[in-house]
Amino acid sequence: MAAMTPTTRYPDRTEDTGRPDTGAPARTPARRPRPRIWRGAVLALAGAYFLLPLVASFVFTVHVPGQGITFEAYTELLSADGFTESLLLSLGLAAATIALSLLLAVPALVAVRIGPPRLRPVVEVMCMLPLVVPPIALVTGITTVLRWGPEHLSRTPLYQTFIAVQNEKFPVVLVLAYTVLALPFVHRSLDAGLRALDVPTLVEAARSCGASWPYVVRRVLLPNLRASLAGAAFLTLALVLGEFTIASLLGFQPFAVWIVSISGAQARMSVAVSILSLLITWLLLIDLSRAGTAPSTTAAAPATTSRKES
């Protein structure tokens, strides 16, 4: 009986003879590159939409009919009455609003993440209410409350508090109003960052090592929320620098109100100030974005240090 060859035993296999396979491999259809013309067209239209008004505004500030090119609108800015004071006031209000809004939102959202889940919708609705209430209604309510000082509290210690929050050099009432307006944006930014973290696990691990609550927030949670904090500060800064309605109706003059106040008498200077304010805002926002994307340099402290703080 003839021995069975490998070919006959395994008909679906071929004998390996060491010679190259002459069969042509199956060719996969080449993918055609997607057309990118529409992408360039969209970017060009978006760039034209944003840049053309700025270029036209800049030309309006430097070109005077009958005189040619002049930069008097920009050279007179520093000596303009109220320019430096209003700009510094807006920056101070922005810094105070960012600090107060983060001081309120960060502990509340962390507590909601650690606590019962049924509190999350309540906190979210409370933070989103400023989007529903119009600014004019908010100003009306603030004005009504401020009238209680001279009408009902003139003989109480609270009267001086009502006067202090309306100080023109630094109106604290604007900080409180801007904090309310910024809560929806701060909440969305921080909530997105907290969703990406396992907050209960991080807090439990740090607490099990003996860390105190301030240490956990400062050295464990905040470094992981750097990008979210920068985004919240980014949005709050843009809101405060561009807000006009509340400050104008309450009788204060931050940077946005000052620009409108000089637009009637010095049109070119007001446009020049608007362009300058855009540049200042962009520079500040770029700094905030870099601060949010920079790597954290905070080193992990040993457990003995955290026990000492607790």
Side-chain angles (χ1 to χ4, degrees):
M1 185 174 180
M4 296 180 63
T5 61
T7 307
T8 57
R9 288 183 61 185
Y10 305 100
D12 56 338
R13 299 181 182 179
T14 57
E15 184 178 2
D16 187 8
T17 58
R19 292 176 295 179
D21 188 9
T22 56
R27 295 182 178 179
T28 58
R31 295 182 178 179
R32 297 180 179 179
R34 296 180 179 179
R36 298 182 179 180
I37 300 177
W38 63 273
R39 297 181 182 178
V42 170
L43 290 177
L45 289 176
Y49 179 80
F50 287 104
L51 293 179
L52 284 180
L54 294 178
V55 173
S57 301
F58 178 74
V59 172
F60 173 76
T61 58
V62 299
H63 178 70
V64 179
Q67 298 182 8
I69 304 298
T70 178
F71 292 91
E72 293 181 358
Y74 294 93
T75 57
E76 295 176 357
L77 281 180
L78 297 178
S79 60
D81 186 18
F83 169 75
T84 305
E85 293 79 4
S86 61
L87 180 58
L88 293 178
L89 177 59
S90 293
L91 294 178
L93 292 174
T97 304
I98 291 172
L100 182 58
S101 59
L102 293 180
L103 186 63
L104 293 175
V106 172
L109 294 181
V110 171
V112 166
R113 285 290 168 183
I114 299 175
R118 63 177 179 270
L119 293 179
R120 297 179 186 176
V122 178
V123 175
E124 184 174 1
V125 170
M126 293 178 62
C127 292
M128 292 298 144
L129 279 178
L131 295 177
V132 181
V133 180
I136 187 65
L138 181 61
V139 174
T140 304
I142 294 174
T143 306
T144 304
V145 173
L146 292 179
R147 288 176 182 172
W148 293 351
E151 293 180 359
H152 305 286
L153 303 174
S154 59
R155 297 182 180 181
T156 62
L158 292 177
Y159 178 72
Q160 297 299 327
T161 303
F162 277 79
I163 298 300
V165 298
Q166 302 180 63
N167 188 0
E168 294 183 357
K169 294 182 179 180
F170 191 82
V172 181
V173 64
L174 286 184
V175 176
L176 301 177
Y178 291 161
T179 301
V180 173
L181 293 180
L183 275 180
F185 309 104
V186 174
H187 174 270
R188 283 303 183 186
S189 180
L190 295 179
D191 185 66
L194 289 172
R195 287 178 185 272
L197 299 177
D198 192 358
V199 178
T201 303
L202 291 175
V203 172
E204 184 179 357
R207 293 288 292 171
S208 64
C209 294
S212 62
W213 278 108
Y215 185 89
V216 172
V217 175
R218 188 178 71 253
R219 300 295 297 274
V220 178
L221 296 179
L222 292 184
N224 290 299
L225 294 175
R226 184 186 295 270
S228 299
L229 294 173
F234 179 98
L235 297 173
T236 305
L237 176 65
L239 184 146
V240 174
L241 291 181
E243 203 285 323
F244 171 79
T245 305
I246 296 178
S248 177
L249 293 178
L250 291 180
F252 302 106
Q253 196 177 44
F255 197 51
V257 179
W258 181 81
I259 292 175
V260 177
S261 65
I262 67 168
S263 61
Q266 300 175 351
R268 285 185 172 81
M269 182 179 293
S270 66
V271 176
V273 172
S274 300
I275 296 175
L276 182 61
S277 65
L278 286 177
L279 294 178
I280 294 174
T281 304
W282 287 345
L283 291 176
L284 293 175
L285 296 182
I286 289 173
D287 290 338
L288 288 176
S289 63
R290 288 180 178 178
T293 56
S296 177
T297 57
T298 304
T304 56
T305 305
S306 60
R307 291 191 182 97
K308 288 180 181 180
E309 293 190 8
S310 62

